[in-house]
């Protein structure tokens, strides 16, 4: 089975190795010649990893490689998903499963990633879109450390195909048909991860971060259920699982963004100097606006939004959260 991975970043490379380890034909498309050459000549992606990758992976700068793919995996940032899906729709010549690993929302329409992709690739055709999402860092997968994620799709047959394609001794894939709930869970946890990094950056301890993750999970669940997701999804890999790993690891860009903001006492320098993809920044704005529109109580998200977009200090945000009206836990 031929799988084409669009994007030669860290996660695309790690998943390419999983597929190559499983004996699949893997072609990676990239726009950075240095990364493509590094993969082909040195069997490395030195920009992201100090590790050799499976030699069976082939990289190219020719996007025509998607024409005869059985599976097309979009491993690009949220802001590039729509345009990349449009290119796939124009080039692909046979039925294929489209896989996305992006976690977030469209910046303008606020749509989930699978919805954005389906609108582009399913013009006149019916191609299943599977979200391969869950608690995972590329830095560990590339070293073949144990990882479990979900193949999320309303089409169980497509989800099962992706499950079987990727699963092996170190990478286990489950299936989940709650597309709304799962995609919302993995997007909003990035907002909570920024908050977790902020707490660490200002010197708070385990008590504070445990409380944050617990109340953050309540917030994610409240929003997800209001939007049509299933409550039980948030006790699984795309809820509490992804929340734990993203709020606790220095591999997490969202956590590290928050850490810098906390150390600086504000977001100004981070927003001015950051050149990495930190999906939680955009997700925070989308969730904040949708929560206000739909009357959903999201106090942590609201304070992260104020830090990112209204120049509020982390200390002031914490006081606002801690001094809210007292109530039963819910």
């Amino acid at each position: 089975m031929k799988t084409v991975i669009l994007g030669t970043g860290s996660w695309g490379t790690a998943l390419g190795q999983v597929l190559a380890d499983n004996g699949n034909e893997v072609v990676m498309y990239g726009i950075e010649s240095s990364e493509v050459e590094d993969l082909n000549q040195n069997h490395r992606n030195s920009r992201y990893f100090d590790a050799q990758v499976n030699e069976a992976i082939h990289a190219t700068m020719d996007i025509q490689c998607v024409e005869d793919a059985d599976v097309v995996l979009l491993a690009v940032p949220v802001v590039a998903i729509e345009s990349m899906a449009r290119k796939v729709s124009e080039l692909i010549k046979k039925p294929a499963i489209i896989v996305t690993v992006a976690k977030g929302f469209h910046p303008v329409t606020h749509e989930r990633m699978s919805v954005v992709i389906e609108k582009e690739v399913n013009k006149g055709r019916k191609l299943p879109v599977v979200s391969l999402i869950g608690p995972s860092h590329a830095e560990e997968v590339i070293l073949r450390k144990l990882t479990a994620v979900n193949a999320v799709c309303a089409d169980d047959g497509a989800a099962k195909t992706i499950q079987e394609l990727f699963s092996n001794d170190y990478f286990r894939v489950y299936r989940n048909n709650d597309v709304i709930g799962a995609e919302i869970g993995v997007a909003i946890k990035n907002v909570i991860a920024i908050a977790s990094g902020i707490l660490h950056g200002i010197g708070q301890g385990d008590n504070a971060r445990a409380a944050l993750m617990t109340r953050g999970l309540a917030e994610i669940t409240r929003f997800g259920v209001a939007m049509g997701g299933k409550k039980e999804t948030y006790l699984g890999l795309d809820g509490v699982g992804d929340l734990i790993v993203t709020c606790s690891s220095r591999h997490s860009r969202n956590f590290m963004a928050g850490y810098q903001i906390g150390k600086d006492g504000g977001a100004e320098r981070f927003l001015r100097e950051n050149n990495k993809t930190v999906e939680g920044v955009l997700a925070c704005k989308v969730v904040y606006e949708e929560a206000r529109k739909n009357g959903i109580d999201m106090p942590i998200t609201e304070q992260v939004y104020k830090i990112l977009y209204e120049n509020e200090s982390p200390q002031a945000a914490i006081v606002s959260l801690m001094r809210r009206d007292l109530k039963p836990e819910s």
Side-chain angles (χ1 to χ4, degrees):
M1 182 172 285
K2 179 181 178 180
T3 300
V4 172
I5 298 175
L6 302 181
T8 52
S10 58
W11 196 216
T13 304
L15 290 176
Q17 176 162 274
V18 173
L19 290 168
D21 284 353
N22 291 354
N24 295 287
E25 179 183 359
V26 181
V27 179
M28 296 186 65
Y29 163 77
I31 59 174
E32 296 291 340
S33 60
S34 60
E35 293 172 16
V36 169
E37 291 172 7
D38 199 15
L39 284 163
N40 287 335
Q41 297 176 13
N42 307 315
H43 309 297
R44 292 180 175 272
N45 195 338
S46 304
R47 179 177 178 183
Y48 301 100
F49 306 119
D50 182 20
Q52 196 159 15
V53 301
N54 190 306
E55 295 184 5
I57 295 172
H58 172 69
T60 180
M61 297 182 71
D62 182 5
I63 198 170
Q64 301 290 333
C65 62
V66 303
E67 288 183 345
D68 62 342
D70 299 296
V71 174
V72 179
L73 190 151
L74 278 65
V76 296
V78 165
V79 294
I81 284 288
E82 186 175 33
S83 61
M84 190 60 76
R86 189 175 301 126
K87 289 180 181 178
V88 170
S89 181
E90 294 168 352
L91 293 170
I92 200 164
K93 291 184 176 179
K94 70 176 190 178
I97 297 175
I98 311 300
V99 179
T100 175
V101 295
K103 301 175 178 180
F105 305 97
H106 190 283
V108 178
T109 67
H110 296 183
E111 292 167 321
R112 292 175 288 105
M113 287 295 97
S114 65
V115 176
V116 174
I117 295 167
E118 285 170 354
K119 288 172 69 173
E120 293 299 329
V121 301
N122 282 336
K123 294 174 180 176
R125 67 184 89 188
K126 190 65 178 176
L127 302 180
V129 177
V130 178
S131 290
L132 189 64
I133 48 181
S136 49
H137 290 309
E139 293 84 354
E140 294 189 3
V141 174
I142 201 70
L143 297 176
R144 300 180 176 88
K145 293 189 175 182
L146 300 180
T147 302
V149 299
N150 263 325
V152 181
C153 186
D155 181 336
D156 192 60
K160 190 173 183 180
T161 296
I162 298 306
Q163 179 183 42
E164 293 171 348
L165 188 68
F166 280 88
S167 292
N168 58 29
D169 289 347
Y170 66 88
F171 197 83
R172 181 173 175 84
V173 183
Y174 291 85
R175 301 195 308 276
N176 188 328
N177 63 5
D178 180 17
V179 180
I180 295 173
E183 290 185 353
I184 284 174
V186 299
I188 303 182
K189 57 87 186 178
N190 285 333
V191 180
I192 309 303
I194 291 175
S196 179
I198 290 172
L199 285 179
H200 191 57
I202 64 175
Q204 290 294 329
D206 294 341
N207 293 353
R209 288 169 63 196
L212 173 80
M213 282 189 273
T214 305
R215 297 310 303 162
L217 182 61
E219 215 166 279
I220 293 169
T221 305
R222 191 181 307 128
F223 186 94
V225 170
M227 294 298 172
K230 299 176 183 178
K231 189 173 184 179
E232 56 267 30
T233 294
Y234 300 107
L235 295 179
L237 291 169
D238 296 324
V240 65
D242 212 357
L243 183 69
I244 290 170
V245 76
T246 314
C247 286
S248 307
S249 174
R250 288 182 174 269
H251 291 318
S252 165
R253 291 181 179 181
N254 292 280
F255 175 84
M256 292 308 296
Y259 179 73
Q260 180 183 329
I261 291 168
K263 292 285 286 185
D264 289 347
E268 181 182 357
R269 184 166 76 95
F270 165 75
L271 294 173
R272 183 178 68 248
E273 297 179 359
N274 177 64
N275 58 7
K276 295 181 180 179
T277 300
V278 181
E279 305 287 21
V281 175
L282 171 59
C284 183
K285 184 175 186 293
V286 171
V287 174
Y288 173 77
E289 291 174 355
E290 288 294 318
R292 285 176 62 88
K293 183 171 70 176
N294 292 281
I296 306 170
D297 187 31
M298 304 283 284
I300 298 172
T301 299
E302 180 179 350
Q303 291 305 318
V304 175
Y305 176 88
K306 289 182 177 180
I307 292 171
L308 291 173
Y309 293 99
E310 296 182 356
N311 203 32
E312 181 164 274
S313 73
Q315 292 291 358
I318 289 171
V319 170
S320 294
L321 286 170
M322 295 299 289
R323 300 300 297 176
R324 296 175 70 234
D325 292 341
L326 301 177
K327 61 179 182 179
E329 184 182 20
S330 60

